[in-house]
Amino acid sequence: MPASLTKAQADFLASIDTPTVCNIVEMVAPERRGHGYTVRHLFCPFPDLPPIVGFAKTVTAKAKDKVALGDYMGKRLDYLDYIASEPRPSIAVIEDLDDEVGYGAFWGEVQSNIHKALGCLGVVTNGSIRDIPMIPPGFQMLAGSISPSHAFVHVVDFGIDVTIHGMAVKSGDLVHADRHGAVVVAVDKIDAMVPALDKLNKQEARIIEAARAPGATVATIKAAMKG
């Protein structure tokens, strides 16, 4: 793990789902409430996989228009150097720039195997994916759509700012993702998130207990909410 993220911090984040991360992020950083996470549905073909936590490798891509083979291959090879670089583990965050988003799938059997070999845990993209049965075990995917063809898919740029369904991401940002979507997490807030989780769990348990109690009333639920 890079020095900026300890194993204990990574294990803590991986132990909770993305909605819970969103809840405690806004507890320790109130200014983050309302942004920094995906705001529209992303298809997840592997909903039973545990959450993934990794540093963003940001990419823009297109698939609708042809590109010269030399330009395509040179950019793709440089892109692989970027994916293999620290910090790792990583999550590929790819913004599809086509006017018909998802026209061609960047992601399938080949790319998922390559990226997994280079320390990538999964992908978050507004674009499309394919080859669902052939994706390597444990590799998570969150995508805007599914498409059968890769068309003329190619990397436009990488290491740049991207936005995926409302979530703005910079290269190297820490991202937490699961079947619900994804959220950017500030590394310097993680230690404060640990006690915040305990506080959240106690609050929610109290309210749920009141709601499930025999003879629950508006008054008893309100009392539980007030603490």
Side-chain angles (χ1 to χ4, degrees), residues 83-143:
I83 293 296
S85 67
E86 295 292 343
R88 297 195 298 175
S90 65
I91 296 175
V93 183
I94 300 191
E95 182 176 1
D96 187 321
L97 300 178
D98 276 326
D99 56 0
E100 292 184 65
V101 177
Y103 189 90
F106 185 99
W107 286 92
E109 179 183 16
V110 174
Q111 290 305 321
S112 57
N113 275 281
I114 289 173
H115 284 72
K116 184 176 182 179
L118 298 179
C120 189
L121 303 176
V123 57
V124 178
T125 180
N126 64 320
S128 61
I129 56 175
R130 64 177 189 163
D131 298 338
I132 304 302
M134 284 83 79
I135 303 303
F139 192 86
Q140 185 57 285
M141 309 179 91
L142 297 176

Side-chain angles (χ1 to χ4, degrees), residues 209-221:
E209 182 181 7
R212 291 178 175 174
T217 65
V218 171
T220 59
I221 293 172

